Amino acid sequence: MQIIIRTDELQSAIDQLSKAAFVTVDTEFIRETTFWPELCLIQIADDDNVYLIDPLAKDIDLSPFWSLMGDEEVVKVFHAARQDLEIIYKMGGLIPHPIFDTQIAAMVCGYGDSVSYDALVQKITGQQLDKSSRFTDWRRRPLSEKQLKYAAADVTHLRDVYRELKQSLESAGRTHWVSEEMDVLTSPATYDLKPEDAWTRLKMRVRKPRELAVMQTVARWREEQARQRNVPRGRVIKDDAIYEIAQQQPKTTEDLGRLRAIPKGWERSQHVQGLTDAVQEALALPESDLPKIAKQRRSPEGAGAASELLKVLLRLVAEREGVAPKVLATSDEIEKIAVMGEEADVQALTGWRRDVFGLEALRLLRGDVGLAFRDRKISAIDL
């Protein structure tokens, strides 16, 4: 294990790693008090070497690392890659390619939904990992011996996990299943949420076009503020405050101060003008320019029962194929298929998922497939 704190050391390591067919990669970061994650450590390994790269060292330039992340000849192996890829995209300006996410591969190989790294390592290698250093402060220097050992374990055991999953996928003829998921992970759109689309993250719903317009402009303002100030979105204003503002539509700072979701005295802060301007922008929109409220599709009679039958079929197919049910279809997708059938715009009805589960789900809805309980288990019957 080598700790790297200088650019020349990093370049030497990358020269070695670039000769490998694959490398395992992980990062340690802090983001509890910031909008952008603060990268504190990079772990990377090939078959023979483990490198811990210190991005906080004063004499290091990460350019060689970014270069390796873009090297098409080397597969980059991550576990639950999304946050790691977000950091690399933000700091390095690229998305690693090609990549292999062992969490996704594990779901396809029947290890359960969103299996954790330590659980997967134990199942495949029999090794029990010490995860007690997971939530330590990775910004403090020097890092303790326990932290370094923990960090190295995140990429050393990943080598064995990758080999096992890769072989399982190849034996089952399912490598292309995972490849489709990697296309989503490596799309820049996955990590580049535009401020004007920030409202789509909100779980609450409004009923009137004017309320939606206010929600959109206020959510955009909050996103811009959070990015500029590098603070979590909730440190600017919380989600429930956006919802109350959308409904009450305060026109002045005094109106804003009367809202229950706004902390007392916040209306006197230096940021209040930007918020009221965002509200006024939405209120000034002519009726013809207001956003449309998506009509709630009324579920046809029997849709609830159809959804329950589809869930049973999903479990049946997942067990038969040896995969996690979530890989084939989510609960939301099941409900959409129950209501809309073939017209449902869901992943479960596209690509390999359609072949494995989607077509059978549609046949169940048409009455071409039945479900029976025989010999203490559910089975599908071709009608």
Side-chain angles (χ1 to χ4, degrees):
M1 181 175 68
Q2 180 181 348
I3 301 172
I4 295 177
I5 60 173
R6 298 198 317 268
T7 305
D8 61 328
E9 295 174 337
L10 177 58
Q11 185 62 65
S12 177
I14 297 303
D15 290 343
Q16 176 65 38
L17 292 166
S18 62
K19 300 173 184 177
F22 75 91
V23 295
T24 54
V25 190
D26 190 34
T27 63
E28 304 299 337
F29 56 89
I30 302 290
R31 73 178 311 167
E32 286 80 4
T33 60
T34 60
F35 181 88
W36 305 109
E38 182 179 356
L39 182 61
C40 301
L41 191 67
I42 302 170
Q43 306 99 284
I44 188 166
D46 61 12
D47 272 329
D48 303 311
N49 306 280
V50 179
Y51 301 100
L52 304 184
I53 306 167
D54 187 354
L56 302 182
K58 64 178 182 177
D59 294 322
I60 197 165
D61 178 353
L62 294 178
S63 295
F65 174 75
W66 307 137
S67 177
L68 178 64
M69 291 298 97
D71 189 339
E72 293 286 340
E73 300 301 317
V74 182
V75 176
K76 276 68 70 173
V77 181
F78 297 84
H79 182 83
R82 187 176 293 265
Q83 292 193 85
D84 300 309
L85 299 188
E86 179 188 5
I87 292 172
I88 294 171
Y89 180 64
K90 172 64 171 58
M91 295 185 64
L94 81 162
I95 295 177
H97 193 270
I99 69 166
F100 186 98
D101 189 325
T102 56
Q103 187 177 71
I104 293 174
M107 289 193 285
V108 172
C109 292
Y111 287 92
D113 287 336
S114 303
V115 61
S116 66
Y117 175 65
D118 49 329
L120 188 58
V121 168
Q122 184 175 22
K123 289 179 179 180
I124 290 179
T125 72
Q127 298 292 318
Q128 185 77 40
L129 299 184
D130 178 6
K131 305 297 287 185
S132 60
S133 296
R134 177 183 299 176
F135 298 113
T136 55
D137 187 351
W138 290 96
R139 292 169 297 192
R140 296 188 65 178
R141 295 295 185 270
L143 295 172
S144 69
E145 191 64 32
K146 189 175 182 181
Q147 284 178 303
L148 296 174
K149 185 177 180 180
Y150 164 89
D154 275 350
V155 288
T156 52
H157 296 292
L158 193 54
R159 298 177 294 202
D160 295 327
V161 170
Y162 168 66
R163 287 194 183 89
E164 174 66 25
L165 294 177
K166 183 173 181 288
Q167 182 177 350
S168 295
L169 290 170
E170 290 172 351
S171 298
R174 294 177 178 176
T175 301
H176 67 287
W177 291 17
V178 175
S179 297
E180 289 184 24
E181 299 307 300
M182 296 307 103
D183 290 341
V184 176
L185 271 179
T186 54
S187 170
T190 303
Y191 310 98
D192 192 18
L193 179 68
K194 298 178 180 178
E196 56 266 31
D197 296 327
W199 69 276
T200 60
R201 299 175 60 97
L202 302 173
K203 302 300 184 184
M204 66 279 289
R205 293 291 178 263
V206 291
R207 297 181 179 181
K208 300 176 182 179
R210 187 68 66 183
E211 293 176 352
L212 179 56
V214 174
M215 177 181 287
Q216 289 177 345
T217 57
V218 173
R220 183 198 67 205
W221 168 82
R222 182 180 72 166
E223 186 77 8
E224 292 170 345
Q225 285 288 305
R227 294 185 183 200
Q228 291 170 8
R229 294 156 53 187
N230 195 23
V231 297
R233 295 178 182 90
R235 291 280 185 92
V236 181
I237 55 171
K238 297 190 180 299
D239 289 358
D240 57 350
I242 295 180
Y243 183 59
E244 187 177 5
I245 291 168
Q247 289 187 314
Q248 300 301 322
Q249 299 167 19
K251 297 179 176 61
T252 66
T253 56
E254 290 76 16
D255 294 338
L256 192 65
R258 297 188 187 100
L259 301 185
R260 294 179 61 183
I262 297 295
K264 187 176 181 180
W266 191 91
E267 72 277 8
R268 296 190 296 274
S269 73
Q270 60 178 320
H271 306 293
V272 69
Q273 188 61 51
L275 176 53
T276 54
D277 287 347
V279 175
Q280 291 293 345
E281 178 185 340
L283 296 181
L285 286 174
E287 293 288 332
S288 58
D289 291 343
L290 290 176
K292 305 297 183 184
I293 298 287
K295 292 184 178 180
Q296 292 290 332
R297 182 186 290 263
R298 177 172 290 183
S299 298
E301 185 177 353
S307 179
E308 292 304 314
L309 285 175
L310 287 171
K311 290 176 183 177
V312 174
L313 178 66
L314 176 62
R315 290 194 294 270
L316 175 64
V317 173
E319 289 178 7
R320 182 184 71 205
E321 299 293 334
V323 302
K326 185 179 177 181
V327 171
L328 299 175
T330 65
S331 296
D332 287 343
E333 289 179 325
I334 289 294
E335 292 176 6
K336 288 179 180 178
I337 295 172
V339 173
M340 303 174 66
E342 180 74 71
E343 297 180 4
D345 183 16
V346 295
Q347 279 192 321
L349 296 182
T350 63
W352 63 267
R353 290 180 176 85
R354 181 182 181 88
D355 297 333
V356 175
F357 170 72
L359 290 176
E360 197 162 356
L362 295 174
R363 293 186 69 221
L364 177 67
L365 292 180
R366 291 196 301 264
D368 296 335
V369 171
L371 297 174
F373 184 69
R374 292 176 174 174
D375 299 325
R376 299 189 173 217
K377 64 180 181 179
I378 298 290
S379 59
I381 301 173
D382 188 1
L383 301 179

